Amino acid sequence: MTPDDSCAAVIATALRNGLDPRGAVLLQAGPHHTWRLPRSGAVAKVWAPGTAVEAAVRDTRIAKWLLNNGIRTPRPAGNSTYPLTHSGRYHLQVSFCEDLGDRPCGPGDLADVLRRLHALPVPKGLGLTRFDPCRDLAGRIRGLRPGTLAPDQERHLRAVLADTRTAWRTAPWDPPCVIHGDATPSNCLMTEHGPALIDFERAATGPSQWDQAAAAWARDAFGTPPERYEEFARAYGHDVTATDAYCMMTPVFGIAAWLYAAEHARTEPDLQDEADRRLATILTDPLPPAPWGWLPASRAAAQATT
């Protein structure tokens, strides 16, 4: 899916949804594309080709459930509260929600909203699956373009993933709750009314430790200031890095972060060096001590062009 493909889908479905698509701005072009519609105060998400209708609908159901339980999130925008379909070169699903801006929240605010999310009873009828990151990673590895991995790298990576899968099944997890699944600061926006969660494609039922660990992972892999994780842990009321579960999650986070860079390098070649750096780290046995000195995607791309 190219930006031209997703733009055509946004224009066609926005008009059907009572929204003005003029001046649409591409915010993100990964597997899914996100567009800002400034004349409508809305954001459009064009789901990757092949995304099941139910997956896009589930995102909206989760948002409604959160709003009903006092957790801020973008409300559906336009005449339809559910995704609209567009058939061009691809059959695409397009979701619309209100635009809450792009100001990420601080670590304490993120911890607070996650703590409230994790405290909610697990609902029925949202289509939430049981969180299984190893299964998701294996599927994404299979979907990589041929030649991304050398044969020996692929064998090593699959061995790491197999060991991680075994450890995951026996780890001392907290009782399952609703987790965000991708609890980064970019997925929690600060609004005039407080923090708001966005992007629920990885939401599931699983251990709260996964969401808690994301802040510590940013410190260990990318070298974010330790004070940010300390603020997060104080606000949440728990230091997940003091548990055995955190050590077990490190390889999972590492493979996921490498996959992100490898997948985006298809359309952003400047990220290839960073993808190679991440792969070399996670294939090191034993894993090197933190911090790993990885670069966030935006900084890696900027550095490659200077």
Side-chain angles (χ1 to χ4, degrees), residues 156-268:
H156 191 170
L157 186 61
R158 291 190 182 280
V160 171
L161 191 57
D163 291 343
T164 302
R165 183 182 291 111
T166 300
W168 182 274
R169 291 171 178 167
T170 58
W173 299 119
D174 288 341
C177 61
V178 178
I179 62 172
H180 183 279
D182 191 17
T184 62
S186 61
N187 283 331
C188 185
L189 302 177
M190 180 55 68
T191 73
E192 60 180 332
H193 301 295
L197 286 174
I198 64 171
D199 196 358
F200 308 111
E201 62 190 80
R202 292 194 175 96
T205 58
S208 65
Q209 290 104 316
W210 179 262
D211 282 349
Q212 296 176 54
W217 163 253
R219 176 199 64 189
D220 293 345
F222 300 109
T224 58
E227 296 79 11
R228 291 183 62 83
Y229 175 69
E230 293 166 6
E231 179 184 342
F232 178 96
R234 284 195 302 271
Y236 192 92
H238 181 243
D239 179 7
V240 72
T241 65
T243 68
D244 292 339
Y246 181 69
C247 295
M248 194 285 306
M249 286 186 282
T250 299
V252 182
F253 276 112
I255 295 172
W258 162 69
L259 276 166
Y260 178 90
E263 291 165 345
H264 283 71
R266 298 177 184 179
T267 55
E268 301 175 62

Side-chain angles (χ1 to χ4, degrees), residues 10 20 84 89 159 181 191 199 230 299:
V10 168
D20 186 345
L84 300 175
R89 190 161 70 102
T191 73
D199 196 358
E230 293 166 6
R299 285 178 54 199

Side-chain angles (χ1 to χ4, degrees), residues 18 24 27 48 67 92 94 117 123 139 144 146 186 193 201 225 237 247 250 263 278 285 287 294:
L27 299 179
L67 289 167
L92 300 173
V94 186
L117 169 66
L144 291 171
S186 61
H193 301 295
E201 62 190 80
C247 295
T250 299
E263 291 165 345
R278 296 182 185 186
D285 187 15
L287 286 172
W294 290 358

Side-chain angles (χ1 to χ4, degrees), residues 5-276:
D5 294 323
S6 62
C7 185
V10 168
I11 291 172
T13 53
L15 293 172
R16 286 161 45 198
N17 202 22
L19 298 171
D20 186 345
R22 288 178 295 173
V25 178
L26 181 64
L27 299 179
Q28 183 176 9
H32 313 294
H33 289 190
T34 306
W35 292 81
R36 170 169 284 145
L37 278 57
R39 290 176 177 261
S40 299
V43 169
K45 180 174 183 176
V46 185
W47 295 77
T51 300
V53 174
E54 178 57 30
V57 169
R58 191 189 74 144
D59 207 64
T60 302
R61 287 181 182 149
I62 293 171
K64 290 182 176 180
W65 173 72
L66 290 173
L67 289 167
N68 289 337
N69 282 277
I71 294 180
R72 295 180 182 86
T73 190
R75 298 179 181 277
N79 300 328
S80 174
T81 59
Y82 289 103
L84 300 175
T85 59
H86 173 73
S87 295
R89 190 161 70 102
Y90 299 105
H91 189 71
L92 300 173
Q93 311 293 326
V94 186
S95 305
F96 295 91
C97 66
E98 66 176 320
D99 186 357
L100 296 182
D102 49 17
R103 177 189 166 198
C105 66
D109 293 310
L110 174 59
D112 177 68
V113 73
L114 288 175
R115 179 175 48 78
R116 291 189 287 119
L117 169 66
H118 298 158
L120 294 175
V122 176
K124 296 180 179 180
L126 289 187
L128 294 172
T129 59
R130 185 171 183 174
F131 188 64
D132 186 348
C134 298
R135 179 185 59 201
D136 175 65
L137 294 176
R140 290 169 65 187
I141 291 171
R142 287 194 299 270
L144 291 171
R145 60 184 173 183
T148 300
L149 291 168
D152 60 328
Q153 289 177 324
E154 184 170 359
R155 286 192 295 270
H156 191 170
L157 186 61
R158 291 190 182 280
V160 171
L161 191 57
D163 291 343
T164 302
R165 183 182 291 111
T166 300
W168 182 274
R169 291 171 178 167
T170 58
W173 299 119
D174 288 341
C177 61
V178 178
I179 62 172
H180 183 279
D182 191 17
T184 62
S186 61
N187 283 331
C188 185
L189 302 177
M190 180 55 68
T191 73
E192 60 180 332
H193 301 295
L197 286 174
I198 64 171
D199 196 358
F200 308 111
E201 62 190 80
R202 292 194 175 96
T205 58
S208 65
Q209 290 104 316
W210 179 262
D211 282 349
Q212 296 176 54
W217 163 253
R219 176 199 64 189
D220 293 345
F222 300 109
T224 58
E227 296 79 11
R228 291 183 62 83
Y229 175 69
E230 293 166 6
E231 179 184 342
F232 178 96
R234 284 195 302 271
Y236 192 92
H238 181 243
D239 179 7
V240 72
T241 65
T243 68
D244 292 339
Y246 181 69
C247 295
M248 194 285 306
M249 286 186 282
T250 299
V252 182
F253 276 112
I255 295 172
W258 162 69
L259 276 166
Y260 178 90
E263 291 165 345
H264 283 71
R266 298 177 184 179
T267 55
E268 301 175 62
D270 292 338
L271 293 180
Q272 188 58 56
D273 286 346
E274 179 61 22
D276 293 342

